[in-house]
Amino acid sequence: MMTKTAEPVVRKKKKNKTSLLISCCSIGLILVVWTVASLSGALSSGMVPTIQSVGAALVDISANGYKGSTLLQHLGASFYRLFTAFGLAILSAVPLGLLSGHNDKVRAALDPIIEFIRPLPPLAYYTILVLWMGIGNGSKIMLLYLACFAPIYIACVAAVTKIPASYTDVARTLGANDGQIFWKVILPYAAPDIFTGIRTAFGHGYSTLVAAEMVAAASGIGWMVLDASNWLRSDVIFAGIIVMGATGIIIDQILRRAERKLVPWKGKV
């Protein structure tokens, strides 16, 4: 006889299997449509290459490289820029966002700057960064940092400002000091939204990667896609996009798993 506590677990596993099956069918349908469209001649091979040519390009750049660097080296160069900026954004945006959410004066000082930078397209200020910081990795990392900073900061501010005042009032009534209130009340309550902001920031950073590698780069997955477009190498373009999408999904899944481990109470309070 199945216990009551086991029933939700079984239902969740069935739901996950159903979702996985639907996702696989969706991907399979896209591949079938792609294959039929390319083989039937409905789409120009110069615009949409066949799956076989994309697979061959992926194998070729993995084994022989593209413009002097292998696929792993291109990914390594991009991930160095991306994760350096991503880590710096987390280290600075989380404390500043929490402080701004808690202190109206700090929020009033920082909000205009964040709201001014946030909607700007990366290329609008990348040229300025290049003038200030040169054409090396510094300007690229700064561009990615700015792309990652705002989503994390805004998520932290929103998380703190929506904490019910009764939570902190009860904690003070029970004798908690400011430090204990932060670690025991504010941070646990805000943690789910912080992780959401971190995942959003990673997406913003990854989507800005091509722009970051446009100027004076000779490696990087974004640069590879951009350079291939100059030579009309649609097979390499598609291979690079597939790699970027696949690695993005993998990293997002890692962040999701970290969130489930570190914030197991999300959705339960």
Side-chain angles (χ1 to χ4, degrees):
M1 184 176 179
M2 188 179 298
T3 62
K4 291 183 178 180
T5 55
E7 289 178 359
V9 175
V10 173
R11 285 199 298 268
K12 185 176 181 180
K13 287 183 178 179
K14 288 182 178 179
K15 184 178 179 181
N16 290 339
K17 288 182 179 179
T18 302
S19 299
L20 179 61
L21 179 61
I22 294 173
S23 298
C24 291
C25 290
S26 177
I27 295 172
L29 179 61
I30 292 172
L31 294 177
V32 168
V33 172
W34 182 3
T35 301
V36 172
S38 58
L39 293 179
S40 66
L43 297 173
S44 169
S45 60
M47 295 178 61
V48 181
T50 63
I51 293 178
Q52 292 84 348
S53 63
V54 173
L58 192 56
V59 171
D60 181 57
I61 60 179
S62 298
N64 303 317
Y66 180 84
K67 297 292 182 72
S69 299
T70 65
L71 180 60
L72 285 179
Q73 289 173 329
H74 282 301
L75 279 173
S78 291
F79 283 168
Y80 168 75
R81 296 161 184 151
L82 179 60
F83 283 113
T84 300
F86 188 51
L88 291 173
I90 292 174
L91 291 175
S92 56
V94 170
L96 281 176
L98 294 175
L99 180 61
S100 296
H102 184 67
N103 190 303
D104 292 340
K105 294 180 180 179
V106 175
R107 184 162 70 252
L110 293 179
D111 270 3
I113 302 172
I114 303 301
E115 291 302 320
F116 177 79
I117 295 175
R118 182 176 61 86
L120 290 177
L123 291 179
Y125 50 84
Y126 189 28
T127 51
I128 297 176
L129 293 177
V130 170
L131 288 174
W132 288 349
M133 306 181 69
I135 59 176
N137 275 337
S139 59
K140 297 172 177 58
I141 291 172
M142 178 57 70
L143 180 71
L144 295 170
Y145 169 81
L146 293 174
C148 293
F149 182 91
I152 301 174
Y153 172 86
I154 291 171
C156 292
V157 172
V160 175
T161 54
K162 74 177 185 180
I163 296 176
S166 58
Y167 283 28
T168 55
D169 291 341
V170 169
R172 290 189 187 280
T173 301
L174 294 174
N177 56 37
D178 290 340
Q180 291 171 326
I181 289 174
F182 174 79
W183 290 108
K184 300 295 185 181
V185 179
I186 295 176
L187 189 59
Y189 190 95
D193 288 332
I194 293 174
F195 266 96
T196 300
I198 288 173
R199 288 177 52 213
T200 304
F202 178 79
H204 277 268
Y206 215 161
S207 63
T208 310
L209 190 60
V210 175
E213 294 176 346
M214 283 182 66
V215 178
S219 63
I221 191 69
W223 171 84
M224 186 183 77
V225 170
L226 185 68
D227 185 77
S229 68
N230 295 330
W231 299 96
L232 302 179
R233 290 290 308 275
S234 58
D235 53 344
V236 176
I237 295 172
F238 272 67
I241 290 172
I242 290 171
V243 169
M244 291 180 72
T247 52
I249 291 173
I250 292 170
I251 295 170
D252 185 68
Q253 289 299 316
I254 293 173
L255 292 174
R256 285 174 181 265
R257 288 181 178 273
E259 181 181 22
R260 286 196 291 270
K261 290 289 185 180
L262 297 174
V263 193
W265 59 87
K266 181 179 180 179
K268 298 178 182 179
V269 295

